[in-house]
Amino acid sequence: MEDSSCPTVPSRSNTDMYKLNKELERVIEDVEDISVQLTWMAYDMVTLRTGFEGEACMRELQEATCDVGTGTWGVILFALKKKK
């Protein structure tokens, strides 16, 4: 006797699965691009609202990060305090 509660899944060929995977990868990349654009838009809004003081602080943080290299945040913050 057949069990009618279990639906049957149609089998798909490898080419169909390959096409679906490629399409999924494309959609994921598009979503990542949109996420990056939204992040930059948010950054621009914050920069415009806070003025250029925030930009100067970010530049100092970036310089301290470059000076210290791949150190921990504690070392980076110590370097910033030492600079001032």
Side-chain angles (χ1 to χ4, degrees), residues 23-37:
E23 180 68 18
L24 181 61
E25 286 177 13
R26 189 190 61 77
V27 169
I28 290 172
E29 287 177 8
D30 290 345
V31 169
E32 287 174 348
D33 291 341
I34 291 170
S35 175
V36 169
Q37 290 174 357

Side-chain angles (χ1 to χ4, degrees), residues 51-61:
F52 296 103
E53 297 86 23
E55 183 180 350
C57 291
M58 289 299 290
R59 190 176 301 118
E60 285 181 22
L61 181 61

Side-chain angles (χ1 to χ4, degrees), residues 16-80:
D16 288 342
M17 294 302 288
Y18 179 77
K19 288 178 184 177
L20 287 174
N21 282 337
K22 282 298 192 184
E23 180 68 18
L24 181 61
E25 286 177 13
R26 189 190 61 77
V27 169
I28 290 172
E29 287 177 8
D30 290 345
V31 169
E32 287 174 348
D33 291 341
I34 291 170
S35 175
V36 169
Q37 290 174 357
L38 286 173
T39 302
W40 279 111
M41 286 172 60
Y43 172 79
D44 289 342
M45 287 177 59
V46 168
T47 303
L48 288 173
R49 288 186 182 177
T50 58
F52 296 103
E53 297 86 23
E55 183 180 350
C57 291
M58 289 299 290
R59 190 176 301 118
E60 285 181 22
L61 181 61
Q62 184 178 13
E63 288 172 2
T65 306
C66 292
D67 291 343
V68 174
T70 59
T72 62
W73 279 108
V75 173
I76 293 170
L77 292 175
F78 178 75
L80 275 176

